[in-house]
Amino acid sequence: MQEILLQTTNLTKQFGRHRAVDQVNLHIKKGSIYGFIGRNGAGKTTCLKMISGLSKPSSGEITLFGYTGKDLKKVRSRVGCLIEAPGLYGNMSAYENIKLKCKLFGIVKESYIQNILELVGLEQTGNKKTKQFSLGMKQRLGIGLALVGEPDLLILDEPINGLDPQGIAEMRDMIQKLNEEHNMTILISSHILEELSKIATDYGIIHNGVLVQELTREELLQRCRERIEITMEHPEQALPVLDGMKIKNYQVVDKEHIHVFERLNDSAIMNMELAKAGCLVKGISMKSEELENYFLNLTGGEQNA
Amino acid sequence: MRNLIKMDVYRMFHTKSLYIIWIILGAMIVFSTFMTKLDYEALQEPQQETTQEVTGETEASEQINVGMNVELPTKPGEKLTVFDEMYSNIQAKFVALFLVIFAVIYATADLTSGYIKNISGMIPRREYMVFSKAVALGIYTFLSFLYYMLVQTIAVYGFFGYLRWGKVEPMFTYLTVQFVLHYAFLLICMGIAIVLRNNTFSMAISICLTMNFAAILYGLLDKLFAKMGIKDFQTITHTVTGKIALLSMHPARKECLASLLIAVLFGGVATAVTGYVFKTRDI
């Protein structure tokens, strides 16, 4: 079993009467890219702010690298974050912005700053002030700043917001590179599941401050796969029939549904065989789900999105 | 903490407003010296005309005016000294005005730019971020005083064609106490800016304090104290801005100690409260 790098236990944040984050239990494995999905206002940023130490939880606990409570201070420097918009000094260059944070870590090597700039693709910006940067460049510099001190956990809050398709692709490549080459665990939030699905290895879906589901990439793909969905009252009666048809890749989802993932063109035969065996089939149909729909179904439907 | 200070000092010297404010301060010193030259020349005119003016100025110097009022302590017939010029500008809070503008801009720059989000989570004791800013502002106050003294000296020489320092020992004492008072005032303004998190409000309040607008409030407090039976209590003489305005040219030891005590007390409390608020608040 993979080591859990970050875990939250009943993490809650209350603003007056409004509960922005409600007893969230996250489990983030070392080396994973954890996609934290939720619509605007779902509580993602509040949750990430608490994890990164920018705000205090109203209740609940955060365990980071095995440390919790007051001991968290010992490992806070191992967490780099880019929360909301990148915080930059507009009158300084990219180099100076990074140098400033290097001062905090006592890093004096000039090549260190240059390496970070190269890593985020900003080595050619020279003395250009960051106020003249495009949004994509600012986002990359924000990540560059988060990388100072070589954190083991990188928290990125909606890093692809406002980026054009090329910018999104570049950002994706950079995140994958950091994860693979630098062995960095990455917690990335977004409301665009489609984009996250290209890089994330694990997912947490949050809605109205509540963590609705936590699942791996495999589990998510499984749930969104094309399948035959059989609706019947006693699914267990169908199992010998399916086994008899040498169908192995199926799943009893609940008390009324079976999902079959193979022989997708044989739904009529399946129906006939089930009828022969005396199984009362209420419905049999082909189903597949877009990732986005899956997310919308979990978080209250398209009409609210 | 040492790295934090290094970072804040680096940021301070890379803040454009620092140099803009110094340039404007320099220009205003030159302008103010030119104006005092005109005043000084008027004082040297025939005795009858100037007597009334001198009497008026003497009365004015004993009370605190709302706004900025630069008055020369030079008596008719005396040669103007650099110390005279420094005293008149400092007690009018001419220098303080420029220092607080920078203090507010600097104290909130990391909040308004959002840079604070990159670092504050990583710092084990967040209140240290306030303390390091306080150290940086101390360096800024010191350098600003040096800069002011340099420009003032050059301006006096430029307009008057000679250099007379005045009595060196009282000048040194006066400038040292004023430096501490100005630093304490900057810490108060830094506190206001960080606690309010609003540049406009903080700037307005800081400038009002510099311009003695709080004197109206102090007057009300004095009346309240009088009603409570505490007679002859003047709140303004127990404040940092009051001390900046009222510190005499040749301060006695007791006066210096009282001013330093007020500065340490107000500056210390302001920094401690700001540190506490900053530590407990969400970013």
Side-chain angles (χ1 to χ4, degrees):
Chain A
M1 195 178 151
Q2 263 183 294
E3 183 190 338
I4 298 289
L5 188 129
L6 165 69
Q7 184 177 341
T8 67
T9 313
N10 296 328
L11 192 66
T12 302
K13 184 72 181 180
Q14 187 97 24
F15 295 109
R17 286 182 182 176
H18 173 62
R19 186 166 279 205
V21 174
D22 192 1
Q23 304 201 353
V24 166
N25 296 306
L26 290 175
H27 305 84
I28 298 171
K29 288 173 265 177
K30 190 178 176 185
S32 65
I33 300 179
Y34 189 98
F36 196 35
I37 312 151
R39 292 188 294 183
N40 293 330
K44 301 185 295 291
T45 302
T46 312
C47 217
L48 297 185
K49 275 186 170 182
M50 287 189 281
I51 293 168
S52 54
L54 298 180
S55 75
K56 281 189 179 155
S58 303
S59 63
E61 213 166 61
I62 298 166
T63 309
L64 203 53
F65 306 104
Y67 291 86
T68 190
K70 286 186 176 176
D71 287 340
L72 267 179
K73 286 177 182 175
K74 293 177 187 168
V75 286
R76 283 272 188 226
S77 60
R78 290 169 67 187
V79 182
C81 64
L82 167 61
I83 304 284
E84 294 167 324
L88 309 168
Y89 287 115
N91 278 319
M92 289 186 191
S93 63
Y95 183 90
E96 287 168 334
N97 268 285
I98 290 182
K99 189 173 182 179
L100 194 60
K101 196 170 173 191
C102 284
K103 295 242 171 219
L104 179 68
F105 281 86
I107 301 165
V108 287
K109 270 174 88 177
E110 297 285 315
S111 59
Y112 185 88
I113 303 169
Q114 211 53 45
N115 287 344
I116 287 184
L117 287 173
E118 277 170 24
L119 193 62
V120 295
L122 292 172
E123 70 275 17
Q124 302 294 337
T125 52
N127 289 326
K128 190 176 180 180
K129 306 286 179 204
T130 60
K131 64 182 173 190
Q132 293 161 346
F133 278 18
S134 68
L135 183 62
M137 288 165 84
K138 284 181 182 171
Q139 293 281 36
R140 278 187 279 161
L141 181 54
I143 293 180
L145 278 166
L147 294 177
V148 175
E150 285 146 32
D152 294 307
L153 172 66
L154 186 62
I155 298 174
L156 305 173
D157 183 23
E158 310 249 13
I160 56 171
N161 253 10
L163 297 186
D164 58 19
Q166 196 191 333
I168 292 174
E170 283 172 4
M171 185 65 70
R172 203 168 49 222
D173 291 346
M174 192 199 298
I175 290 167
Q176 264 172 332
K177 194 175 161 189
L178 288 170
N179 177 249
E180 287 162 13
E181 293 176 17
H182 297 258
N183 199 24
M184 226 173 254
T185 305
I186 298 171
L187 167 55
I188 175 171
S189 82
S190 180
H191 58 271
I192 309 166
L193 179 60
E194 202 64 46
E195 273 309 320
L196 276 188
S197 69
K198 290 172 184 163
I199 49 172
T201 56
D202 296 87
Y203 299 89
I205 300 172
I206 188 169
H207 182 57
N208 287 339
V210 178
L211 189 71
V212 183
Q213 204 165 67
E214 211 177 25
L215 68 177
T216 62
R217 189 212 312 253
E218 291 71 31
E219 284 169 333
L220 179 70
L221 292 176
Q222 183 82 4
R223 287 177 197 197
C224 295
R225 269 169 79 176
E226 202 172 10
R227 62 188 180 260
I228 295 169
E229 198 171 293
I230 304 166
T231 310
M232 57 189 295
E233 271 190 10
H234 300 286
E236 68 277 5
Q237 292 175 357
L239 304 188
V241 180
L242 294 174
D243 290 340
M245 290 175 76
K246 295 191 173 143
I247 294 172
K248 288 176 183 169
N249 197 355
Y250 64 84
Q251 192 178 14
V252 180
V253 181
D254 55 34
K255 285 177 183 172
E256 282 204 321
H257 295 96
I258 302 172
H259 290 173
V260 180
F261 301 103
E262 60 180 289
R263 292 173 63 180
L264 299 177
N265 295 323
D266 293 346
S267 59
I269 299 169
M270 267 179 231
N271 195 9
M272 202 169 68
E273 290 297 322
L274 287 167
K276 267 191 208 168
C279 301
L280 193 62
V281 176
K282 286 183 181 174
I284 187 162
S285 59
M286 280 294 293
K287 285 259 172 90
S288 72
E289 217 164 4
E290 293 282 323
L291 289 173
E292 215 60 48
N293 285 342
Y294 179 78
F295 167 61
L296 288 170
N297 287 338
L298 270 178
T299 58
E302 212 164 352
Q303 70 278 8
N304 297 323
Chain B
M1 182 70 186
R2 203 178 61 176
N3 287 341
L4 255 176
I5 293 168
K6 278 184 190 171
M7 185 188 78
D8 272 327
V9 172
Y10 178 86
R11 177 166 74 86
M12 187 175 78
F13 286 115
H14 281 77
T15 305
K16 211 159 81 176
S17 55
L18 176 125
Y19 302 101
I20 294 171
I21 287 169
W22 272 352
I23 289 168
I24 298 171
L25 174 64
M28 293 307 287
I29 294 164
V30 173
F31 178 70
S32 167
T33 313
F34 170 70
M35 294 302 286
T36 51
K37 191 190 179 226
L38 297 180
D39 281 352
Y40 177 76
E41 282 169 353
L43 279 172
Q44 307 310 317
E45 281 171 15
Q47 203 65 33
Q48 210 176 354
E49 283 177 40
T50 54
T51 311
Q52 276 183 319
E53 205 175 326
V54 171
T55 315
E57 281 189 8
T58 311
E59 280 170 5
S61 65
E62 285 169 0
Q63 60 191 6
I64 290 179
N65 295 304
V66 173
M68 189 184 282
N69 190 17
V70 180
E71 289 171 4
L72 267 181
T74 319
K75 291 186 179 115
E78 278 182 358
K79 281 253 181 189
L80 179 127
T81 65
V82 177
F83 185 26
D84 287 347
E85 267 290 346
M86 286 183 184
Y87 169 78
S88 60
N89 279 328
I90 289 174
Q91 64 92 31
K93 289 187 222 148
F94 186 86
V95 181
L97 177 66
F98 290 93
L99 297 195
V100 297
I101 291 171
F102 176 74
V104 171
I105 293 171
Y106 175 73
T108 53
D110 51 356
L111 294 166
T112 50
S113 69
Y115 198 89
I116 198 157
K117 288 184 291 182
N118 300 320
I119 51 172
S120 63
M122 301 176 131
I123 296 163
R125 299 192 67 175
R126 210 194 278 171
E127 64 272 28
Y128 281 1
M129 292 180 79
V130 172
F131 303 152
S132 73
K133 273 183 197 171
V135 174
L137 282 178
I139 296 169
Y140 170 72
T141 314
F142 181 71
L143 291 177
S144 296
F145 258 67
L146 284 185
Y147 169 76
Y148 166 71
M149 282 150 53
L150 178 75
V151 178
Q152 185 67 83
T153 308
I154 295 168
V156 167
Y157 184 73
F159 284 112
F160 291 87
Y162 63 86
L163 264 186
R164 284 206 177 182
W165 291 102
K167 289 179 183 168
V168 176
E169 202 188 320
M171 179 170 78
F172 181 75
T173 310
Y174 179 82
L175 289 174
T176 306
V177 176
Q178 281 291 8
F179 161 70
V180 179
L181 284 167
H182 276 69
Y183 179 43
F185 187 42
L186 256 63
L187 293 179
I188 295 167
C189 295
M190 175 192 77
I192 292 169
I194 292 174
V195 171
L196 290 184
R197 282 195 280 198
N198 184 308
N199 253 357
T200 316
F201 266 132
S202 317
M203 192 73 83
I205 292 171
S206 301
I207 291 174
C208 283
L209 283 174
T210 317
M211 296 285 126
N212 291 323
F213 282 109
I216 301 157
L217 176 72
Y218 300 149
L220 288 173
L221 282 175
D222 292 347
K223 280 184 183 170
L224 192 73
F225 286 131
K227 275 188 183 174
M228 288 163 67
I230 307 165
K231 301 279 179 197
D232 300 328
F233 183 83
Q234 281 190 299
T235 311
I236 199 156
T237 57
H238 296 84
T239 63
V240 173
T241 48
K243 287 287 179 198
I244 291 175
L246 296 170
L247 187 71
S248 58
M249 257 185 111
H250 304 93
R253 190 182 159 80
K254 199 180 162 187
E255 193 184 356
C256 289
L257 284 176
S259 299
L260 291 174
L261 187 70
I262 294 272
V264 170
L265 195 70
F266 275 87
V269 169
T271 312
V273 169
T274 313
Y276 178 75
V277 171
F278 194 68
K279 177 184 153 187
T280 52
R281 194 161 64 184
D282 287 349
I283 289 169

